Amino acid sequence: MAEVRLVDIEKKYGNFLAVPKQSLTIEDGEFLVLLGPSGCGKTTTMRMIAGLEEITSGDLMIAGEKVNDKPPKDRDIAMVFQNYGLYPHMTVRQNIDYPLKLRGADKATRKQRVQETADKVELGALLDRRPSELSGGQRQRVALARAIVRTPKIFLMDEPLSNLDAKLRVTMRAELKHLHHELGVTTVYVTHDQMEAMTLASRVAIMREGRIVQLDTPKKIYAEPADLFVAGFIGSPSMNLVDGAVKGGVFRAEGIEVPVSLADREGVVLGIRPEELEIVQDTSAPINGKLYALELTGDSTLVTLRAGKTSVCARGHADFEAPIDAPCYLTPKPQARFHLFDRATGQRLDG
């Protein structure tokens, strides 16, 4: 296990600045997720940690040692990629054993470690099969087993679940969470899937255009997004974001009038999450308009209200039904929290 420190790290490709200068400390034993859309610099940052990308400027420290010039094989890291990268001509046993063989471990030790590791990821009965005989989830577990078999200082995982179907991703998330609890190895995990980030991470670093825009626990990021980008990126469905203005202690937009703790101001964006709104029959409700869409998700129904250009989504009961274009009224639940942002800068105005 090891602490990882990025000190004023920067990455350029010619004149293109891929990752602007920034610092980040990943604590010993932490599960840190680099989260963001495609092209935000998260994979580039991870590849610099791995030694697969040269650092333009700054220092990378692993366990207190500067490793900028160390090749990947000498950094004591293990990587798991989106594509499994298994050797097709080898059995599961041989695939898992390969890193130990490269390091010169004796046969008895290798046999024991392979069996123990395979059992951890529920592959003990499949050791003599080849990758072509396995399902996608089983192949990903082989890739995980090959990474953890030699207990490295750091795990680096680049979108390891994105090739799996939705049900299997849920299962594998639980397995990864349990493995990290069991092994306690410092882990850096790259994904664009905010659900993976929220369920797996000790902390999440949300990236945009090469920069970390918010670094905190999943709970804190969900409760207090730092800016409009984070507010719109985290949550499923995403936070309602409505343009308006504050006057006399009331936020006003078409179909919306809610009291807020903010001085009079133009160019304000109000945010509220769908699960914090309630569908009511009260014509004096602070949010009103016409029913625009109903989406049954199984355990609930997403109800979208439209007032002019303003759209607001609420999470209602699964049995909620109403005709499209019927009058619709929403009110914040008692513990609901409003989030206020500056439209020009995107920065949070409250809290």
Side-chain angles (χ1 to χ4, degrees), residues 272-273 275-278 331-339:
I272 186 167
R273 296 203 178 274
E275 57 270 26
E276 297 188 314
L277 292 171
E278 191 173 359
T331 190
K333 292 179 180 178
Q335 302 303 316
R337 179 168 185 182
F338 293 121
H339 308 263

Side-chain angles (χ1 to χ4, degrees), residues 15 29 33 41 45-46 56 91-93 111 128 152 178 180 193 198 221 226 247 264 317 341 345:
N15 293 323
V33 173
T45 299
M46 192 192 72
T56 305
T91 63
V92 170
R93 186 190 309 276
K111 184 177 180 181
D128 295 321
H178 184 74
H180 181 257
D193 185 325
M198 297 296 281
I221 286 174
K247 189 171 183 180
D264 289 6
H317 294 295
F341 304 91
T345 66

Side-chain angles (χ1 to χ4, degrees), residues 31-47 80-82 140 155-164 169 173 176 187-208 211 214 218 221 229 233-234:
F31 196 121
L32 181 98
V33 173
L34 298 175
L35 172 67
S38 297
C40 72
K42 55 189 187 297
T43 294
T44 301
T45 299
M46 192 192 72
R47 287 173 63 85
V80 183
F81 297 97
Q82 178 178 348
Q140 192 57 279
F155 286 134
L156 301 177
M157 301 188 181
D158 189 6
E159 308 244 20
L161 308 185
S162 59
N163 282 344
L164 307 181
R169 279 202 302 271
R173 281 205 310 260
L176 281 173
T187 303
V188 182
Y189 187 104
V190 163
T191 185
H192 65 274
D193 185 325
Q194 54 102 5
M195 187 61 72
E196 281 182 22
M198 297 296 281
T199 53
L200 288 171
S202 310
R203 286 190 304 161
V204 179
I206 300 181
M207 297 189 69
R208 183 187 188 192
R211 298 182 185 277
Q214 188 166 3
I221 286 174
F229 172 75
F233 196 75
I234 296 293

Side-chain angles (χ1 to χ4, degrees), residues 178-256:
H178 184 74
L179 271 172
H180 181 257
H181 172 76
E182 205 173 63
L183 301 171
V185 176
T186 306
T187 303
V188 182
Y189 187 104
V190 163
T191 185
H192 65 274
D193 185 325
Q194 54 102 5
M195 187 61 72
E196 281 182 22
M198 297 296 281
T199 53
L200 288 171
S202 310
R203 286 190 304 161
V204 179
I206 300 181
M207 297 189 69
R208 183 187 188 192
E209 296 175 353
R211 298 182 185 277
I212 295 173
V213 293
Q214 188 166 3
L215 172 63
D216 218 319
T217 63
K219 187 178 289 187
K220 182 82 169 179
I221 286 174
Y222 188 82
E224 296 181 19
D227 60 17
L228 278 172
F229 172 75
V230 178
F233 196 75
I234 296 293
S236 182
S238 59
M239 182 184 289
N240 294 299
L241 298 170
V242 181
D243 282 299
V246 176
K247 189 171 183 180
V250 177
F251 174 88
R252 289 182 169 87
E254 193 167 4
I256 299 179

